[in-house]
């Protein structure tokens, strides 16, 4: 059967969005065999490979994308893959470059903040995350990460604000809700801690196995 780029790409994206990473990657690779010089498709394939934990393949695909077009999405993709592979120094270089592209600047700053925090560079992490939420006030993951950083620095009241801001855009995220409970306890906000914990337990119950 011949390749139908438009139809096959739609199918691949649908499977990718559904978490069927292996199926999506198979289609992406087939399309790339037919036309290897497609930077957007290389980014998608690299992302799927990384989600499968196939980091060597993911890095190779991301670098190929950069050879075709060194733009923010490709730089961000490679930076994320290098983060996942534990190559922090090079990852930071690509994330810093990606921040100059307005399309991905907030995501790149968020990833940079994550990486800087994980390596103990709290001041640099603070700067990156402050930038991320300044240019994208609804960036829930960045607000959550900022809250984690504030908690680690003992800034519990500021962390509380960060987690609340995160939940205003992503109200049912269990990890952020759990973080909010911890911040509330540190700040003596017992009523909100109890209310939020009830929400966490309700979601756990709803997602758990049914009773026999």
């Amino acid at each position: 059967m011949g390749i139908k780029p438009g139809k096959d790409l739609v199918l691949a994206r649908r499977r990718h969005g559904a978490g069927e990473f292996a199926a999506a990657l198979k289609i992406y690779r087939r399309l790339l065999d037919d036309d290897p010089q497609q930077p957007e498709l290389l980014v998608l394939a690299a992302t799927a490979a990384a989600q499968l934990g196939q980091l060597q393949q993911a890095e190779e695909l991301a670098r190929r994308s950069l050879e075709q077009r060194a733009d923010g999405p490709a730089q961000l993709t490679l930076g994320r893959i290098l983060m996942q592979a534990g190559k922090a120094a090079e990852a930071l270089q690509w994330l810093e470059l990606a921040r100059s592209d307005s399309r991905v600047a907030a995501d790149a700053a968020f990833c940079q903040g994550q990486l800087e925090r994980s390596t103990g560079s709290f001041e640099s992490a603070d700067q990156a995350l402050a930038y991320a939420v300044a240019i994208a006030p609804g960036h829930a993951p960045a607000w959550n990460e900022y809250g984690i950083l504030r908690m680690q620095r003992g800034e519990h009241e500021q962390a509380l604000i960060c987690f609340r801001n995160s939940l205003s855009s992503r109200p049912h995220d269990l990890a952020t809700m759990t973080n909010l409970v911890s911040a509330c306890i540190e700040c003596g906000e017992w009523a909100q801690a109890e209310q939020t914990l009830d929400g966490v337990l309700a979601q756990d119950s709803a997602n758990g196995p049914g009773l026999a």
Side-chain angles (χ1 to χ4, degrees):
M1 180 182 294
I3 295 174
K4 302 179 179 62
K7 180 180 178 181
D8 284 358
L9 184 55
V10 169
L11 175 61
R13 283 180 173 275
R14 185 180 300 128
R15 291 189 171 177
H16 199 162
E20 300 175 22
F21 306 132
L25 181 58
K26 184 177 180 179
I27 300 172
Y28 293 147
R29 298 236 44 152
R30 192 171 76 231
L31 292 169
L32 287 167
D33 287 342
D34 187 59
D35 181 1
Q37 297 182 341
Q38 299 186 66
E40 295 93 347
L41 188 53
L42 285 162
V43 164
L44 288 169
T47 302
Q51 288 167 319
L52 288 165
Q54 299 174 8
L55 299 183
Q56 184 174 348
Q57 179 182 183
E59 184 177 337
E60 181 265 331
L61 288 163
R63 291 189 189 278
R64 280 174 55 191
S65 178
L66 280 164
E67 290 171 2
Q68 299 299 318
R69 188 170 64 203
D71 63 359
Q75 292 161 346
L76 173 60
T77 299
L78 180 57
R80 283 172 164 165
I81 291 165
L82 293 170
M83 279 179 64
Q84 193 174 341
K87 301 177 182 180
E90 188 181 0
L92 283 172
Q93 294 174 6
W94 289 110
L95 293 172
E96 187 66 38
L97 286 171
R99 284 177 59 170
S100 65
D101 188 325
S102 61
R103 296 172 295 173
V104 297
D107 286 338
F110 158 60
C111 290
Q112 184 180 353
Q114 276 188 310
L115 186 51
E116 296 278 19
R117 182 184 65 80
S118 72
T119 59
S121 300
F122 289 170
E123 289 300 326
S124 296
D126 190 293
Q127 292 172 12
L129 292 167
Y131 177 79
V133 298
I135 65 172
H139 199 304
W143 276 118
N144 182 56
E145 183 67 23
Y146 209 0
I148 294 170
L149 173 65
R150 293 287 179 83
M151 289 287 283
Q152 289 183 328
R153 298 176 68 170
E155 300 168 354
H156 301 124
E157 291 185 1
Q158 292 91 336
L160 192 65
I161 294 170
C162 292
F163 295 136
R164 286 170 175 165
N165 286 340
S166 180
L167 288 167
S168 70
S169 297
R170 192 172 59 176
H172 303 297
D173 183 70
L174 280 173
T176 308
M177 292 170 71
T178 302
N179 291 336
L180 178 61
V181 171
S182 297
C184 286
I185 291 171
E186 293 289 348
C187 294
E189 298 277 356
W190 304 109
Q192 186 173 11
E194 184 176 1
Q195 180 183 10
T196 306
L197 183 57
D198 286 344
V200 171
L201 295 175
Q203 284 201 57
D204 281 343
S205 177
N207 295 332
L211 295 176

